[in-house]
Amino acid sequence: MNNIESVKCLIIGSGPAGYTAAIYAARASMKPVLYKGMQPGGQLTTTNEVENFPGYPDGITGPEMMLQLEAQAKRFDTDVRDGFIDKVDFSTLPHKVWTEDGTEIHADTVIISTGASAKYLGIESEQYYLKNGGGVSACAVCDGFFYRGQDVVIVGAGDSACEEAGYLANICNSVTMLVRRDEFRASKIMRNRVLNNPKIKVLFNTEIDDVFGDGNVVTGVRVVNNKTNDKEEISCTGVFIAIGHKPNTDIFKDYLELDETGYIKNIPGTAKTSVEGVFVGGDAADHVYRQAITAAGTGCMAALDAERYLAAKEG
Ligand code: NDP
């Protein structure tokens, strides 16, 4: 029995959901311990400017906002730790989790805020402009505004890609949508909205071969028709990748009810999962809204539900 620690509230993940849960749990004297996880700060750390989070009239960068949320959580004595949880056992109470260095933690309540990761094409030039420059994004609602009046390309053919193409068409000069097969995956209504929008041009059987630019910002993409092998260049300043997200829920799959794509199922209207004492906030349970503000909101719900659960148990 070495290295076992007992906590009232363990929070896994450090995006807006995790830190908001921490602020609420700490203020309710639950002494939360928060593990930052593999990507401290979550998806927002890959976003430059956040202009749609209420309370920041001049905008704020994603990394800066996450530092502020961390500072706010620490102000109320959240124990914020580097490291990640790589194994759980939710079959008995208290719940057991293990950190990557082998520490075993017994938790009365667990709040999961591990988020989701956007999928990318994985080509080198895409990753270069995603990480070093400007012009590649996986979130039209977050970043579309920066491309207003400009020409953009969007990759994907699901409901998200269609929705985001419509969003971009309202802001941008032109939207070229690249669909890798000769048909959409999206529902008929979403597909028709795209096809009937004069500002969106759809290229079927078309994939990105290269993203190019001046080293700082994107100036275009080279695409290839996968039927004819014909290549062409399209001038654009923004490349939106909308090929789906993967929720970071693999370690929970043996214990919690997940939907067919791996998102944690919460009891509607609550942050409760299928297991007593385990709660979820943020994108790990949300494939629809996926915004920092909605993650913060459901992180708050998770802490309040955890607090009420403990209060009911303690009588
Ligand atoms: P999906 O998994 O539904 O679609 C992903 C799309 O990306 C597919 O068209 C797929 O192509 C394409 N794709 C995947 N990999 C690549 C690649 N390497 N290169 C090019 N294209 C690629 O993800 P979504 O995010 O669109 O949707 C997720 C879930 O959320 C769905 O259930 C959806 O219905 C739901 N949703 C609903 C909305 C609504 O109802 N308003 C809005 C947004 C999402 P292919 O088809 O060839 O596999």
Side-chain angles (χ1 to χ4, degrees):
M1 292 282 281
N2 57 343
N3 274 349
I4 295 183
E5 183 185 5
S6 290
V7 303
K8 260 189 176 178
C9 177
L10 181 83
I11 300 172
I12 311 176
S14 58
Y19 281 131
T20 305
I23 292 163
Y24 275 77
R27 286 169 54 82
S29 302
M30 291 163 73
K31 298 188 171 27
V33 172
L34 179 149
Y35 275 86
K36 286 188 178 180
M38 300 278 233
Q39 188 184 16
Q43 290 184 80
L44 266 193
T45 54
T46 63
T47 300
N48 276 330
E49 204 62 25
V50 181
E51 292 187 332
N52 54 9
F53 199 98
Y56 295 97
D58 301 320
I60 182 168
T61 69
E64 208 181 331
M65 184 175 168
M66 297 322 300
L67 288 175
Q68 291 195 359
L69 280 175
E70 181 177 345
Q72 194 173 350
K74 283 180 170 167
R75 182 179 150 209
F76 301 109
D77 291 334
T78 301
D79 184 347
V80 177
R81 300 180 184 173
D82 292 325
F84 58 94
I85 304 299
D86 67 358
K87 194 174 126 191
V88 302
D89 179 352
F90 294 158
S91 60
T92 53
L93 291 172
H95 296 302
K96 299 187 185 74
V97 310
W98 288 265
T99 65
E100 89 281 9
D101 67 5
T103 306
E104 183 172 337
I105 299 176
H106 291 187
D108 295 331
T109 60
V110 177
I111 295 176
I112 298 171
S113 47
T114 47
S117 304
K119 293 183 191 162
Y120 289 94
L121 303 175
I123 55 182
E124 207 175 303
S125 51
E126 169 210 53
Q127 291 299 308
Y128 173 83
Y129 283 103
L130 176 70
K131 289 175 185 149
N132 302 306
V136 174
S137 167
C139 180
V141 177
C142 319
D143 298 327
F145 186 72
F146 303 115
Y147 302 91
R148 60 193 180 279
Q150 300 173 36
D151 299 312
V152 299
V153 161
I154 182 163
V155 183
D159 283 331
S160 296
C162 291
E163 198 168 73
E164 300 204 354
Y167 182 88
L168 291 168
N170 283 334
I171 307 173
C172 301
N173 180 51
S174 76
V175 179
T176 306
M177 187 165 185
L178 308 179
V179 174
R180 70 175 171 183
R181 289 185 294 141
D182 56 5
E183 59 179 352
F184 283 89
R185 177 176 296 273
S187 53
K188 199 171 167 192
I189 182 168
M190 302 292 276
R191 183 184 69 201
N192 286 344
R193 262 185 222 157
V194 163
L195 293 172
N196 293 331
N197 188 325
K199 282 179 82 178
I200 306 174
K201 178 179 171 188
V202 181
L203 300 180
F204 290 99
N205 297 116
T206 303
E207 297 177 52
I208 289 188
D209 190 36
D210 190 30
V211 177
F212 54 84
D214 63 7
N216 288 316
V217 292
V218 167
T219 55
V221 291
R222 189 172 64 232
V223 298
V224 56
N225 181 306
N226 56 30
K227 283 257 159 84
T228 61
N229 271 334
D230 287 345
K231 295 191 178 183
E232 71 170 296
E233 290 188 356
I234 302 172
S235 291
C236 63
T237 49
V239 181
F240 288 86
I241 310 295
I243 61 173
H245 285 73
K246 184 183 182 312
N248 302 317
T249 56
D250 286 353
I251 59 169
F252 310 115
K253 66 176 188 300
D254 292 339
Y255 298 97
L256 300 182
E257 262 184 52
L258 309 180
D259 74 8
E260 62 285 352
T261 44
Y263 288 89
I264 295 172
K265 283 189 179 175
N266 59 308
I267 297 172
T270 77
K272 295 174 189 167
T273 68
S274 54
V275 171
E276 173 185 342
V278 181
F279 305 87
V280 63
D283 289 11
D286 171 23
H287 63 76
V288 179
Y289 299 104
R290 298 196 297 244
Q291 299 301 299
I293 187 70
T294 49
T298 51
C300 160
M301 287 167 66
L304 292 178
D305 283 349
E307 182 196 351
R308 286 170 193 161
Y309 166 78
L310 282 181
K313 280 205 99 172
E314 285 160 8

